Amino acid sequence: MTGFSLDALILDVDGTLAETEELHRLCFNRAFAEAGLPWSWSVADYRRLLATTGGRERIVRFVGEVEPERAAALAGHEDPFVRRLHARKTELYAEGVRRGEVALCPGIAELVRRARELGIALAIATTTSRANVEALLDAHPEALPRAWFATLVCGEDTGRKKPDPEVYRLALERLGVRPDRALAVEDSTNGVLAAKGAGVPVVAIPSLYTAGDDFSAADRVLESAAELVPLLGR
Ligand code: XBP
Ligand code: MG
């Protein structure tokens, strides 16, 4: 199998570094319950809602589906009620991550170490909140040392979330790397489209929640990050 010659490896977080979405789902539900809301997302609900990237955007979409009158009174995902709910969800999620409730995906530690050995720059490109990324790196200091990442581009850093390519354009700009000298690793259709939209080749590795996604735009589909390790080169 032909390998990849690259200067930078740009990694997605949710579903790529770790199987995080189940904890996200549980924490959305806990935040709803604490606020006295009668909402609870099942696995099937969450799989469908994941098509909307960004937690606050996801809440607004859901309110529009179940309580259109309440949704009409909201100022979109910037609404203070949505912000408060999401801030509580983020707090609960980060606590769970710091307690070690999410494991890294198979092969991720080896992939990051190999990139480092080869002098390939590392970056994060995610729609999730910065606090969530920092909690994950803090929880896995040996596999994912913060200092190894040249930049973390997170949900707060862009105006438009994936599948918009803005997060990848910003990562490339901060890295000072041409798109064709980078490689993205993504687990979802939205992530693949974001990378390709910025001209970055992408390897898709489906996760628990994205196994049924359309990966036809990806340059390669692999089963785990471990398969990518021997394909890396400069
Ligand atoms: C991840 C997301 C995020 C997370 C929740 O997408 O869409 O919204 O589900 O995080 P990707 P927040 O893996 O493509 O970056 O609640 O902080 O948004
Ligand atoms: Mg993802």
Side-chain angles (χ1 to χ4, degrees):
M1 207 192 280
T2 43
F4 296 95
S5 162
L6 54 144
D7 295 330
L9 185 64
I10 309 179
L11 300 163
D12 168 50
V13 174
D14 297 295
T16 297
L17 289 188
E19 284 287 4
T20 55
E21 291 297 359
E22 190 51 16
L23 184 61
H24 279 297
R25 181 182 74 86
L26 295 171
C27 294
F28 277 111
N29 286 342
R30 274 178 219 147
F32 298 154
E34 278 185 18
L37 294 159
W39 306 335
S40 179
W41 294 348
S42 68
V43 168
D45 293 333
Y46 198 60
R47 187 163 280 131
R48 186 176 53 77
L49 291 166
L50 270 177
T52 301
T53 52
R56 284 185 287 129
E57 291 82 350
R58 195 167 296 144
I59 293 171
V60 170
R61 169 184 163 182
F62 176 75
V63 182
E65 288 174 2
V66 295
E67 295 188 36
E69 279 175 21
R70 192 202 287 261
L74 292 177
H77 65 279
E78 303 291 359
D79 189 274
F81 163 74
V82 176
R83 278 196 173 278
R84 268 197 311 278
L85 258 184
H86 185 255
R88 180 61 183 143
K89 174 262 169 182
T90 301
E91 222 166 64
L92 292 165
Y93 174 85
E95 280 167 20
V97 170
R98 286 181 201 281
R99 277 197 302 267
E101 288 176 21
V102 294
L104 297 183
C105 289
I108 281 296
E110 294 79 357
L111 181 67
V112 165
R113 194 181 323 120
R114 184 68 187 139
R116 184 77 186 163
E117 278 166 13
L118 291 168
I120 295 168
L122 288 161
I124 294 288
T126 179
T127 66
T128 205
S129 309
R130 179 169 296 272
N132 299 344
V133 181
E134 285 172 352
L136 188 70
L137 299 188
D138 288 350
H140 300 276
E142 279 168 29
L144 304 174
R146 172 65 185 89
W148 286 10
F149 291 87
T151 182
L152 311 178
V153 190
C154 305
E156 296 89 336
D157 301 330
T158 61
R160 294 171 304 276
K161 296 200 163 83
K162 297 174 189 176
D164 191 282
E166 191 182 348
V167 65
Y168 276 96
R169 294 211 176 106
L170 196 52
L172 291 169
E173 192 184 306
R174 290 185 184 173
L175 287 162
V177 166
R178 280 191 351 228
D180 63 329
R181 292 295 305 163
L183 179 70
V185 185
E186 282 283 355
D187 71 306
S188 68
T189 303
N190 282 327
V192 168
L193 294 177
K196 294 302 284 185
V200 178
V202 53
V203 165
I205 303 174
S207 62
L208 219 55
Y209 269 99
T210 61
D213 274 21
D214 175 4
F215 294 112
S216 54
D219 294 80
R220 198 83 61 87
V221 182
L222 300 177
E223 273 181 28
S224 99
E227 289 179 16
L228 181 54
V229 177
L231 304 180
L232 288 190
R234 282 209 73 181

